[in-house]
Amino acid sequence: MQKRTLLDGQKIQITIKRLCRQLIENHDDFKDTVLIGIQPRGIYFADRIRSELQQILPDTNILKGNLDITFFRDDFRRKDSIVTASSNSIDFIIEDKKVVLIDDVLWTGRTIRAAMDALLAYGRPRKVELLVLIDRRFSRQLPIEPDYIGHRVDTVGHQQVRVSWSETDQEDKIVLISESIK
């Protein structure tokens, strides 16, 4: 097994700052924009994005929620174990709002498709954009592309991208893991 660090510590923070500046360019005062972190791992990234935006725009109230997609996935019945859902935490209406879906890694696109389905339980957004920390290009199974990308990486099926957050893993680090092919 080979591991290669894609981003860590300060580089992740620089990436977050750049993504926030891009969001501000497109959403100005966030009056009609909400952030939605996709459970489970996208919520840490969404928290970081919101925190940085609040530092840049201290007088702006930026709404952020967490969205569980467990029962909207097309593969949730295929698991061998009992599926446990995370909790949703969206205490606002998204009707006619611009929604920025936030996840740590975009791979096949199936998670994002499920998130868009789950989102409709909270209203019909005017627009949905996608912000990801890592875009695993060339692995898409659905025609979904991010609007905001922290870092692109070209991967093949047997490789994994692991994102560690200090909140749960004691460090901020993104690693590409390549299994040995026999």
Side-chain angles (χ1 to χ4, degrees):
M1 177 185 323
Q2 294 178 333
K3 293 182 180 183
R4 181 176 62 128
T5 300
L6 300 174
L7 295 173
D8 58 8
Q10 189 62 29
K11 289 181 181 176
I12 291 175
Q13 187 57 34
I14 290 168
T15 301
I16 289 171
K17 287 178 184 291
R18 176 178 49 80
L19 290 168
C20 287
R21 295 293 179 181
Q22 291 173 341
L23 285 170
I24 291 167
E25 282 181 27
N26 293 332
H27 296 278
D28 192 31
D29 62 1
F30 288 83
K31 183 179 66 164
D32 294 324
T33 302
V34 299
L35 308 176
I36 304 287
I38 300 173
Q39 295 272 20
R41 309 282 299 172
I43 64 171
Y44 304 112
F45 185 37
D47 286 342
R48 298 280 185 92
I49 291 289
R50 181 176 185 234
S51 176
E52 183 64 29
L53 285 169
Q54 290 288 175
Q55 286 183 12
I56 298 168
L57 305 168
D59 297 329
T60 304
N61 180 29
I62 300 170
L63 298 176
K64 185 218 150 251
N66 298 333
L67 182 67
D68 178 67
I69 60 158
T70 302
F71 299 114
F72 291 90
R73 293 187 59 90
D74 59 3
D75 62 352
F76 91 92
R77 293 188 205 301
R78 295 180 179 197
K79 307 239 189 248
D80 292 333
S81 61
I82 295 173
V83 177
T84 305
S86 300
S87 63
N88 286 317
S89 173
I90 301 175
D91 57 356
F92 48 85
I93 302 295
I94 66 164
E95 188 72 32
D96 204 33
K97 298 276 189 199
K98 293 179 222 165
V99 173
V100 179
L101 281 176
I102 301 174
D103 206 4
D104 57 351
V105 179
L106 173 59
W107 184 21
T108 63
R110 294 187 177 288
T111 296
I112 305 308
R113 187 219 41 91
M116 289 175 23
D117 288 346
L119 201 57
L120 293 177
Y122 294 90
R124 183 177 173 203
R126 179 180 339 147
K127 181 177 184 177
V128 177
E129 294 179 334
L130 177 59
L131 184 149
V132 297
L133 182 56
I134 300 293
D135 177 14
R136 290 183 62 174
R137 300 190 305 180
F138 311 129
S139 302
R140 222 70 84 234
Q141 296 174 1
L142 298 171
I144 293 173
E145 292 299 320
D147 299 283
Y148 308 94
I149 301 165
H151 186 75
R152 280 194 171 105
V153 62
D154 299 334
T155 61
V156 292
H158 69 275
Q159 293 177 313
Q160 294 180 355
V161 174
R162 290 230 178 101
V163 178
S164 301
W165 295 108
S166 60
E167 293 87 342
T168 58
D169 308 304
Q170 287 69 53
E171 68 177 336
D172 292 338
K173 191 174 192 176
I174 303 165
V175 177
L176 176 64
I177 301 170
S178 299
E179 300 290 332
S180 301
I181 301 175
K182 294 180 182 181

